[in-house]
């Protein structure tokens, strides 16, 4: 049995892992030889395994524990709501449902004042498409390669991620286009006008597909699953302009980037872009309870005043989840976590830049706020990656060893392909951030030893 983390695994931990293996199915991969370990508790930016070993959570788990683990204020709100009204039909009004909607409208971009409350990000994106199709009467949707919009069947097929392959052939009407990736841009190689090159490409796709057939374009402002690919300045505003010009709705999938992760409340705020539909989850409840939201513009909301919206599940507008999310939004404000993300994000990028000067295995560092990535390569000259998301790479073992070393030193991180993602809780202190980076600095010596001499 392979167990990740400390080699000194407790008997209780082995028992927990074995019971999980025997009676449950793990996500995204084969079950045999699955690396995992048992976690007993979590608090703030740390969690502890069954042997009592502490880990600094440098990925906020699935980039969702934005305010930190088990915040007392949120736990209290959940307890109080559970004692009073944990659940009621979504056809019935509740206090936490209205309160959450009001709080979301206060922090969201202008004109987004109404929320359809779901149980997760994939479900929010599903309903975003359903709303767009019903509102426009059109059935095509534009989606980028190097994107991920959720693990349901339709959202996998909408995504430009290799995880979609197992679900294909998929939903009709999906038209994919290339978004900017300056480090690996096939058009400008990172040295040209990357935003306009990609916008020209998008416009060509729109024209050749027929704008009168396209309901919406969906995009993550910063694709996270592919390694925090920050678009060049002007790109998001350019997509908004093209959507306006051709009568296409813009759906911003901020399931991962929302709620301060990039140093603003939402990533679209960096360019003052107002999407027609905004989807949210992850940081909405900071992992305390499942919830998702699909926020719609005033124009779309007005349309459905008289036109029925055919959508909803039993647990929509879940009272317990709404109470948790309302409390989480209060924590963002009380602890000034969005500003902390912006301040420490600058420290993070400065430190990563210094690390790149030392480690030949670092091809590029990039990020925004407390959402950053290290792209690990075998050669800076050729940019050959030290691993791959799309294909089986003979060098993926290097990244596996880097991740294992981080776990051994008590740092939990996200590694996908050749990219190491850094996305700690926004409540992290500068001292904790620097400590985590020092651990990464040591682990990258493993990758340095595999670099090809240019």
């Amino acid at each position: 049995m392979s167990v990740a983390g400390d080699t000194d695994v407790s008997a209780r931990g082995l028992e927990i892992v074995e019971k999980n293996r025997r009676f449950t199915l793990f996500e995204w991969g084969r079950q045999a030889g699955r690396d995992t370990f048992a976690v007993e508790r979590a608090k703030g930016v740390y969690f502890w395994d069954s042997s009592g070993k502490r880990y600094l959570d440098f990925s906020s788990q699935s980039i969702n524990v934005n305010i930190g683990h088990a915040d007392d204020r949120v736990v209290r709100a959940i307890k109080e709501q559970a004692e009073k009204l944990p659940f009621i039909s979504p056809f019935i009004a509740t206090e936490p449902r209205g309160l959450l909607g009001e709080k979301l409208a206060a922090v969201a971009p202008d004109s987004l004042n109404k929320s359809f409350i779901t149980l997760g990000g994939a479900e929010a994106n599903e309903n975003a498409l359903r709303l767009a199709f019903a509102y426009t009467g059109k059935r095509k949707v534009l989606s980028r390669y190097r994107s991920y919009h959720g693990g349901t069947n339709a959202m996998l097929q909408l995504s430009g991620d290799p995880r979609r392959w197992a679900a294909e052939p998929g939903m009709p009407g999906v038209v994919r286009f290339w978004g900017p990736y300056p480090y690996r841009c096939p058009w400008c190689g990172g040295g040209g006008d990357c935003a306009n090159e990609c916008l020209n490409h998008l416009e060509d796709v729109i024209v050749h597909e027929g704008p009168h057939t396209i309901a919406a374009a969906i995009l993550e402002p910063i694709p996270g699953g592919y390694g925090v690919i920050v678009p060049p300045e002007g790109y998001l505003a350019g997509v908004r302009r093209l959507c306006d010009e051709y009568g296409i709705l813009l759906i911003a999938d901020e399931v991962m980037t929302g709620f301060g992760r990039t140093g603003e409340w939402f990533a679209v705020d960096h360019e003052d872009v107002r999407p027609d539909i905004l989807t949210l989850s992850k940081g909405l409840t900071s992992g305390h309870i499942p919830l998702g939201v699909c926020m719609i513009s005033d124009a779309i909301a007005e349309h459905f005043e008289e036109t029925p919206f055919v959508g909803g599940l039993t647990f929509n507008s879940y009272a317990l989840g709404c109470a948790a999310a309302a409390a989480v939004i209060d924590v963002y404000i009380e602890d000034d976590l969005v500003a902390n993300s912006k301040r420490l994000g600058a420290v993070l990028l400065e430190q990563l830049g210094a690390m790149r000067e030392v480690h030949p295995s670092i091809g590029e560092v990039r990020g925004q706020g407390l959402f950053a990535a290290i792209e690990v390569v075998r050669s800076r000259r050729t940019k050959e990656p030290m691993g791959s998301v799309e294909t089986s790479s003979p060098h993926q073992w290097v990244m596996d060893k880097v991740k294992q070393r981080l776990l051994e030193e008590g740092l939990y991180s996200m590694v996908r392909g050749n990219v190491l993602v850094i996305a700690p809780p926004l409540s992290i202190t500068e001292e904790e951030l620097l400590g985590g980076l020092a651990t990464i600095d040591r682990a990258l010596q493993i990758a340095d030893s595999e670099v090809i001499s240019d």
Side-chain angles (χ1 to χ4, degrees):
M1 178 186 296
S2 178
V3 179
D6 200 331
T7 54
D8 184 20
V9 180
S10 69
R12 173 173 167 75
L14 289 173
E15 180 183 355
I16 292 171
V17 169
E18 177 56 31
K19 188 171 290 188
N20 276 250
R21 289 184 187 279
R22 184 177 178 186
F23 295 109
T24 74
L25 196 67
F26 281 92
E27 291 77 5
W28 299 117
R30 65 182 188 139
Q31 304 300 299
R34 185 70 180 241
D35 282 345
T36 189
F37 59 109
V39 171
E40 295 276 1
R41 63 189 179 93
K43 190 69 177 176
V45 298
Y46 298 101
F47 63 89
W48 289 260
D49 69 17
S50 57
S51 70
K53 179 176 177 178
R54 188 182 77 170
Y55 298 82
L56 176 59
D57 191 347
F58 232 46
S59 71
S60 303
Q61 291 304 292
S62 295
I63 315 184
N64 66 316
V65 186
N66 284 16
I67 70 168
H69 294 273
D71 186 280
D72 292 341
R73 293 160 290 187
V74 181
V75 171
R76 184 165 57 250
I78 293 171
K79 286 181 177 179
E80 291 174 356
Q81 187 62 40
E83 290 171 350
K84 184 167 56 176
L85 180 70
F87 169 81
I88 200 72
S89 165
F91 294 106
I92 298 173
T94 66
E95 181 180 18
R97 175 179 180 167
L99 180 62
L100 174 59
E102 182 181 36
K103 289 179 181 291
L104 285 168
V107 298
D110 293 344
S111 86
L112 295 172
N113 293 303
K114 185 162 286 192
S115 296
F116 184 75
I117 304 172
T118 70
L119 270 181
E123 189 190 334
N125 283 331
E126 292 259 5
N127 283 283
L129 277 197
R130 189 175 296 181
L131 285 158
F133 292 158
Y135 178 71
T136 65
K138 298 183 283 188
R139 299 295 298 183
K140 281 184 184 175
V141 58
L142 300 170
S143 176
R144 295 192 296 196
Y145 289 103
R146 305 192 190 99
S147 67
Y148 182 71
H149 298 292
T152 61
N153 194 49
M155 290 304 101
L156 269 179
Q157 294 161 1
L158 183 66
S159 300
D161 184 288
R163 284 173 284 186
R164 78 180 190 275
W165 295 342
E168 291 177 329
M171 179 175 62
V174 176
V175 177
R176 292 191 182 89
F177 64 100
W178 290 104
Y181 189 174
Y183 183 61
R184 298 186 181 279
C185 181
W187 294 308
C188 71
D193 191 356
C194 198
N196 282 329
E197 292 279 3
C198 287
L199 290 170
N200 289 338
H201 158 68
L202 173 57
E203 186 167 22
D204 281 345
V205 171
I206 292 171
V207 169
H208 285 87
E209 284 294 330
H212 63 286
T213 70
I214 303 170
I218 185 170
L219 56 79
E220 303 162 277
I222 300 175
Y226 248 91
V228 192
I229 304 174
V230 182
E233 186 176 355
Y235 177 75
L236 291 177
V239 174
R240 173 74 274 182
R241 176 183 56 77
L242 287 175
C243 287
D244 289 340
E245 182 177 346
Y246 289 102
I248 297 168
L249 297 182
L250 175 60
I251 303 171
D253 175 353
E254 294 231 28
V255 168
M256 190 175 286
T257 55
F259 296 102
R261 174 55 58 190
T262 68
E264 297 286 351
W265 272 100
F266 305 102
V268 292
D269 293 339
H270 289 282
E271 293 196 18
D272 197 27
V273 168
R274 293 169 175 79
D276 300 290
I277 302 176
L278 177 69
T279 58
L280 307 166
S281 188
K282 292 190 182 284
L284 174 64
T285 61
S286 191
H288 288 76
I289 208 162
L291 207 71
V293 163
C294 178
M295 299 192 73
I296 57 178
S297 70
D298 294 341
I300 296 174
E302 178 64 26
H303 174 81
F304 288 103
E305 284 295 309
E306 298 298 333
T307 301
F309 173 57
V310 184
L313 297 173
T314 298
F315 281 92
N316 276 166
S317 301
Y318 184 36
L320 209 59
C322 288
V328 167
I329 291 175
D330 286 343
V331 172
Y332 285 118
I333 295 169
E334 290 170 13
D335 294 356
D336 205 15
L337 293 182
V338 179
N340 195 52
S341 175
K342 186 174 185 176
R343 180 180 69 84
L344 290 185
V347 174
L348 173 57
L349 283 180
E350 180 182 8
Q351 293 296 314
L352 291 179
M355 286 171 60
R356 186 181 183 278
E357 296 301 313
V358 175
H359 295 283
S361 61
I362 298 180
E364 184 184 48
V365 297
R366 52 183 180 260
Q368 203 162 44
L370 286 175
F371 195 35
I374 298 171
E375 184 152 347
V376 184
V377 297
R378 295 191 72 218
S379 165
R380 284 188 181 176
R381 181 181 60 82
T382 65
K383 301 181 182 180
E384 180 186 353
M386 196 82 76
S388 174
V389 171
E390 293 94 346
T391 61
S392 177
S393 169
H395 312 295
Q396 194 64 55
W397 66 270
V398 178
M399 298 304 295
D400 293 341
K401 285 189 69 174
V402 169
K403 185 173 183 178
Q404 183 64 29
R405 177 64 60 81
L406 295 175
L407 280 173
E408 290 168 359
E409 294 201 30
L411 188 82
Y412 185 81
S413 62
M414 177 181 288
V415 174
R416 191 149 190 260
N418 71 314
V419 176
L420 196 161
V421 176
I422 301 170
L426 311 188
S427 54
I428 197 168
T429 66
E430 185 169 344
E431 181 181 6
E432 291 164 337
L433 179 68
L434 294 176
L437 291 174
T439 304
I440 291 174
D441 188 35
R442 293 189 293 272
L444 282 175
Q445 294 174 19
I446 296 171
D448 291 342
S449 66
E450 298 300 320
V451 169
I452 300 170
S453 179
D454 289 334

